[in-house]
Amino acid sequence: MLFEIEKDFQFEAAHYFGHADANDLFKKIHGHSFSGRVTLRGHAQAEKGWVRDLWKIEQTIKEVVEPLDHSLLNDVDGLEQPALEQIAIWIFERLAPRLEGLHCVEVGRPSCGERARVWAE
């Protein structure tokens, strides 16, 4: 049987949009409480009964997300235009080599009711 397991994360960060057609309000530096979810797919390990150790997954996510927490996202290499889609890709690309079976990364701004997901192809 194939399983999906998920681990949630969160971080606080500021950003702004510098492109010409950005709403004037969002051209100013502003902050959000971001939340996210990492989804892995795999088969349960016979000797352990689980797909992957969720505690180890949590530690890996923390290491990847830590540079984003309480930062200005525009200053993070690769996030010069920090739309939700770009943040999700940034996290996915850094987790993929470290988390076998990575299937999806979701990043959202719950207070705005917005989220973006990126899936492995």
Coordinates of all heavy atoms in Angstrom, one line a residue, residues 3-9 36-41 51-55 57-58 61 102-106 117 119:
F3 N 1.3 5.2 1.0 CA 0.9 6.1 2.0 C 1.3 7.5 1.6 O 2.3 7.7 0.9 CB 1.5 5.8 3.4 CG 0.9 4.6 4.0 CD1 1.6 3.3 3.8 CD2 -0.2 4.6 4.8 CE1 1.1 2.2 4.4 CE2 -0.7 3.4 5.4 CZ -0.1 2.2 5.2
E4 N 0.6 8.5 2.1 CA 1.0 9.9 2.1 C 1.1 10.3 3.6 O 0.2 10.0 4.4 CB 0.0 10.8 1.5 CG 0.1 10.8 0.0 CD -0.7 12.0 -0.7 OE1 -1.5 12.6 0.0 OE2 -0.5 12.1 -1.9
I5 N 2.3 10.9 4.0 CA 2.4 11.5 5.3 C 2.7 13.0 5.1 O 3.3 13.4 4.1 CB 3.5 10.8 6.1 CG1 4.9 10.8 5.4 CG2 3.1 9.3 6.4 CD1 6.0 10.3 6.3
E6 N 2.3 13.7 6.1 CA 2.4 15.2 6.0 C 3.0 15.8 7.3 O 2.7 15.2 8.4 CB 1.1 15.8 5.7 CG 0.5 15.4 4.4 CD -0.9 16.0 4.2 OE1 -1.6 16.2 5.1 OE2 -1.2 16.2 3.0
K7 N 3.7 16.8 7.2 CA 4.3 17.6 8.3 C 4.1 19.0 8.1 O 4.4 19.6 7.0 CB 5.7 17.2 8.5 CG 6.3 17.8 9.8 CD 5.7 17.3 11.0 CE 6.2 17.9 12.3 NZ 5.4 17.6 13.5
D8 N 3.5 19.7 9.0 CA 3.2 21.2 8.9 C 4.4 22.0 9.5 O 5.1 21.5 10.3 CB 1.9 21.6 9.7 CG 0.7 21.0 9.1 OD1 0.7 20.6 7.9 OD2 -0.3 20.9 9.8
F9 N 4.5 23.2 9.0 CA 5.5 24.1 9.5 C 5.0 25.5 9.4 O 4.0 25.8 8.8 CB 6.9 24.0 8.7 CG 6.7 24.4 7.3 CD1 7.0 25.7 6.8 CD2 6.4 23.4 6.3 CE1 6.9 26.0 5.5 CE2 6.3 23.7 5.0 CZ 6.5 25.0 4.5
G36 N 2.9 26.1 6.2 CA 3.1 25.2 5.1 C 2.9 23.8 5.5 O 2.7 23.5 6.7
R37 N 3.0 23.0 4.5 CA 2.8 21.5 4.7 C 3.7 20.8 3.7 O 3.8 21.2 2.5 CB 1.4 21.1 4.5 CG 1.1 19.6 4.6 CD -0.3 19.3 4.6 NE -0.9 19.8 5.8 CZ -2.1 20.2 6.0 NH1 -3.0 20.2 5.0 NH2 -2.5 20.6 7.2
V38 N 4.4 19.8 4.2 CA 5.3 19.0 3.3 C 4.6 17.6 3.3 O 4.2 17.0 4.3 CB 6.7 18.9 3.9 CG1 7.5 17.8 3.2 CG2 7.4 20.2 3.9
T39 N 4.4 17.1 2.1 CA 3.8 15.8 1.9 C 4.8 14.8 1.2 O 5.5 15.2 0.2 CB 2.6 15.9 0.9 OG1 1.7 16.8 1.5 CG2 1.9 14.5 0.8
L40 N 5.0 13.6 1.8 CA 5.8 12.6 1.3 C 5.0 11.4 0.9 O 3.9 11.1 1.6 CB 6.9 12.2 2.3 CG 8.0 13.1 2.5 CD1 7.6 14.2 3.5 CD2 9.2 12.4 3.0
R41 N 5.4 10.7 -0.1 CA 4.7 9.4 -0.5 C 5.7 8.3 -0.4 O 6.8 8.4 -0.7 CB 4.2 9.5 -1.9 CG 3.0 10.3 -2.1 CD 2.5 10.2 -3.5 NE 1.2 10.9 -3.6 CZ 0.5 11.0 -4.8 NH1 1.0 10.6 -5.9 NH2 -0.6 11.6 -4.8
V51 N 6.4 5.1 7.1 CA 7.0 5.5 5.9 C 8.3 6.2 6.2 O 9.4 5.8 5.6 CB 6.1 6.5 5.1 CG1 6.8 7.0 3.8 CG2 4.8 5.8 4.7
R52 N 8.3 7.2 7.0 CA 9.5 7.9 7.4 C 9.3 8.4 8.8 O 8.2 8.6 9.3 CB 9.8 9.1 6.5 CG 10.1 8.9 5.1 CD 11.4 8.4 4.7 NE 12.5 9.2 5.2 CZ 13.1 10.2 4.6 NH1 12.6 10.6 3.4 NH2 14.1 10.9 5.1
D53 N 10.4 8.6 9.5 CA 10.3 9.1 10.9 C 9.9 10.6 10.9 O 10.6 11.5 10.4 CB 11.7 9.0 11.5 CG 11.8 9.4 13.0 OD1 11.0 10.3 13.4 OD2 12.6 8.9 13.7
L54 N 8.7 10.9 11.3 CA 8.2 12.3 11.3 C 9.0 13.3 12.1 O 9.1 14.4 11.7 CB 6.7 12.3 11.7 CG 5.7 11.7 10.7 CD1 4.4 11.5 11.4 CD2 5.5 12.7 9.6
W55 N 9.6 12.8 13.2 CA 10.5 13.7 13.9 C 11.7 14.1 13.1 O 12.1 15.3 13.1 CB 11.0 13.0 15.2 CG 11.8 14.0 16.0 CD1 11.3 14.9 17.0 CD2 13.2 14.1 16.0 NE1 12.4 15.6 17.5 CE2 13.6 15.1 17.0 CE3 14.3 13.4 15.4 CZ2 14.9 15.5 17.2 CZ3 15.6 13.8 15.6 CH2 15.9 14.8 16.5
I57 N 11.8 14.2 9.8 CA 11.3 15.1 8.8 C 11.1 16.5 9.3 O 11.5 17.5 8.7 CB 9.9 14.5 8.2 CG1 10.1 13.2 7.5 CG2 9.2 15.6 7.4 CD1 8.9 12.5 7.2
E58 N 10.6 16.6 10.5 CA 10.4 17.9 11.1 C 11.8 18.6 11.3 O 11.9 19.8 11.0 CB 9.8 17.8 12.5 CG 9.6 19.1 13.3 CD 9.0 18.9 14.6 OE1 8.7 17.7 15.0 OE2 8.8 19.9 15.3
I61 N 12.9 19.9 7.8 CA 12.1 21.1 7.4 C 12.6 22.3 8.2 O 12.8 23.4 7.6 CB 10.6 20.8 7.7 CG1 10.1 19.7 6.7 CG2 9.9 22.1 7.5 CD1 8.7 19.2 7.1
L102 N 9.6 13.0 -1.4 CA 8.9 14.3 -1.3 C 7.9 14.4 -2.5 O 8.3 14.2 -3.7 CB 9.9 15.4 -1.4 CG 9.4 16.8 -1.3 CD1 8.6 17.1 0.0 CD2 10.5 17.8 -1.5
H103 N 6.7 14.7 -2.2 CA 5.7 14.8 -3.3 C 5.2 16.2 -3.4 O 4.9 16.7 -4.6 CB 4.5 13.9 -2.9 CG 3.4 13.9 -3.9 ND1 3.5 13.6 -5.2 CD2 2.1 14.4 -3.7 CE1 2.3 13.8 -5.8 NE2 1.5 14.3 -4.9
C104 N 5.0 17.0 -2.3 CA 4.3 18.3 -2.4 C 4.8 19.2 -1.3 O 5.1 18.7 -0.2 CB 2.8 18.1 -2.3 SG 1.9 19.6 -2.4
V105 N 5.0 20.5 -1.6 CA 5.2 21.5 -0.6 C 4.1 22.6 -0.8 O 3.9 23.0 -2.0 CB 6.6 22.1 -0.7 CG1 6.7 23.4 0.2 CG2 7.7 21.1 -0.4
E106 N 3.4 22.9 0.2 CA 2.4 23.9 0.2 C 2.9 25.0 1.2 O 3.4 24.8 2.2 CB 1.1 23.3 0.7 CG 0.0 24.4 0.9 CD -1.3 23.8 1.5 OE1 -1.9 22.9 0.8 OE2 -1.7 24.2 2.6
R117 N 0.8 25.4 -4.0 CA 1.4 24.1 -3.9 C 2.2 23.8 -5.1 O 1.9 24.2 -6.2 CB 0.3 23.0 -3.8 CG -0.5 23.0 -2.6 CD -1.6 21.9 -2.6 NE -2.6 22.2 -1.6 CZ -3.7 22.9 -1.8 NH1 -4.0 23.3 -3.0 NH2 -4.6 23.1 -0.9
W119 N 4.2 20.3 -6.8 CA 4.3 18.9 -6.8 C 5.5 18.4 -7.6 O 5.9 19.0 -8.5 CB 3.1 18.2 -7.4 CG 1.8 18.2 -6.6 CD1 1.5 17.3 -5.7 CD2 0.8 19.2 -6.6 NE1 0.3 17.6 -5.1 CE2 -0.2 18.8 -5.7 CE3 0.5 20.4 -7.3 CZ2 -1.4 19.5 -5.4 CZ3 -0.6 21.0 -7.1 CH2 -1.6 20.6 -6.2

